[in-house]
Amino acid sequence: SQQGEEDPQALSIQEGENATMNCSYKTSINNLQWYRQNSGRGLVHLILIRSNEREKHSGRLRVTLDTSKKSSSLLITASRAADTASYFCATDSPRGSYIPTFGRGTSLIVHP
Amino acid sequence: DVKVTQSSRYLVKRTGEKVFLECVQDMDHENMFWYRQDPGLGLRLIYFSYDVKMKEKGDIPEGYSVSREKKERFSLILESASTNQTSMYLCASSSTRRTANTEAFFGQGTRLTVV
């Protein structure tokens, strides 16, 4: 069963614009993670935000978490063509907090 | 540099064959996972293991089994491959030691085609 669901499914923007992706989940969590996947490759961890945190930054990435709404957002500022990838949120599984449960992902295309 | 290595990037097998997908990690992680990824369905958990010789079913274990005889190696077995098991298979590992977060490290994926 999938905990997190990303929105939108697909996003197409121009280089230099900001990209915002959202994730909603169903049950309470200990942490939420965002991953990136280049076409045909494995996933790479981007950032983890704990349930007691509201916002976190890493370079051009900004993640927010609203546990009352059971939602998170990933903002990529000043996007580049190299940011083109699929982005997934992962939450705890009901089976165990160490088991990442993924949504269907957002496919981001950044046009040069 | 941390590493999760899957034995094959691409694999083509025939219906009914027994298929082994191997995954090795060099980070001394306790946890290892097998996911399959299909268009429009995201990543779905097949099996996971939190220790040597321990294994737990994920969300879609039917038609699969796993083996974890050594801490660094987690094998996914398709007992009798079928065309609906054509997919991208992703292995991951993580640690839950006190000082570690639950970041998962992924292999490069194995694209399996069953014909």
Side-chain angles (χ1 to χ4, degrees):
Chain A
S1 58
Q2 286 171 305
Q3 238 295 40
E5 289 296 337
E6 294 87 347
D7 171 65
Q9 290 185 19
L11 185 58
S12 181
I13 59 174
Q14 294 295 130
E15 211 166 28
E17 294 180 341
N18 294 342
T20 300
M21 289 158 269
N22 303 297
C23 172
S24 59
Y25 56 92
K26 298 172 187 170
T27 61
S28 62
I29 59 172
N30 293 304
N31 62 66
L32 185 143
Q33 304 176 63
W34 285 91
Y35 289 79
R36 167 196 169 124
Q37 183 183 35
N38 288 353
S39 180
R41 312 296 294 185
L43 278 70
V44 175
H45 184 263
L46 294 176
I47 197 165
L48 178 150
I49 186 165
R50 301 199 183 280
S51 59
N52 61 354
E53 297 175 312
R54 291 296 166 259
E55 189 171 312
K56 205 162 181 180
H57 296 254
S58 177
R60 292 185 296 113
L61 304 180
R62 174 178 166 248
V63 170
T64 61
L65 179 63
D66 186 337
T67 53
S68 67
K69 295 182 180 178
K70 292 187 171 60
S71 69
S72 173
S73 68
L74 170 67
L75 168 68
I76 304 174
T77 59
S79 62
R80 306 166 182 167
D83 294 328
T84 294
S86 292
Y87 293 82
F88 294 86
C89 69
T91 57
D92 309 342
S93 166
R95 298 172 188 274
S97 62
Y98 62 95
I99 303 167
T101 302
F102 293 86
R104 292 180 171 83
T106 292
S107 175
L108 172 66
I109 297 175
V110 181
H111 299 279
Chain B
D1 212 15
V2 297
K3 213 168 197 178
V4 178
T5 303
Q6 294 183 229
S7 53
S8 305
R9 284 275 285 138
Y10 300 96
L11 213 50
V12 180
K13 295 292 181 181
R14 295 196 179 278
T15 301
E17 273 193 80
K18 190 168 186 175
V19 182
F20 293 86
L21 302 183
E22 307 286 350
C23 176
V24 177
Q25 50 97 0
D26 65 359
M27 296 164 282
D28 199 37
H29 283 170
E30 307 87 53
N31 310 314
M32 295 189 76
F33 311 90
W34 276 106
Y35 295 88
R36 67 176 279 176
Q37 183 177 23
D38 301 288
L41 296 178
L43 278 76
R44 294 180 290 166
L45 182 65
I46 305 171
Y47 266 95
F48 63 98
S49 168
Y50 54 88
D51 202 352
V52 178
K53 296 193 186 293
M54 304 306 291
K55 54 190 178 185
E56 295 284 345
K57 292 179 180 179
D59 297 316
I60 51 164
E62 296 78 20
Y64 303 94
S65 63
V66 290
S67 171
R68 190 156 181 212
E69 295 298 315
K70 294 184 178 180
K71 192 174 185 180
E72 67 270 19
R73 185 180 297 269
F74 193 36
S75 303
L76 179 70
I77 303 153
L78 286 67
E79 296 290 343
S80 177
S82 64
T83 54
N84 62 14
Q85 292 178 308
T86 291
S87 186
M88 171 73 118
Y89 290 88
L90 293 162
C91 174
S93 72
S94 71
S95 174
T96 45
R97 285 189 285 270
R98 183 179 294 272
T99 57
N101 62 30
T102 53
E103 171 187 352
F105 295 85
F106 279 81
Q108 76 276 29
T110 295
R111 186 164 295 280
L112 172 67
T113 302
V114 182
V115 297

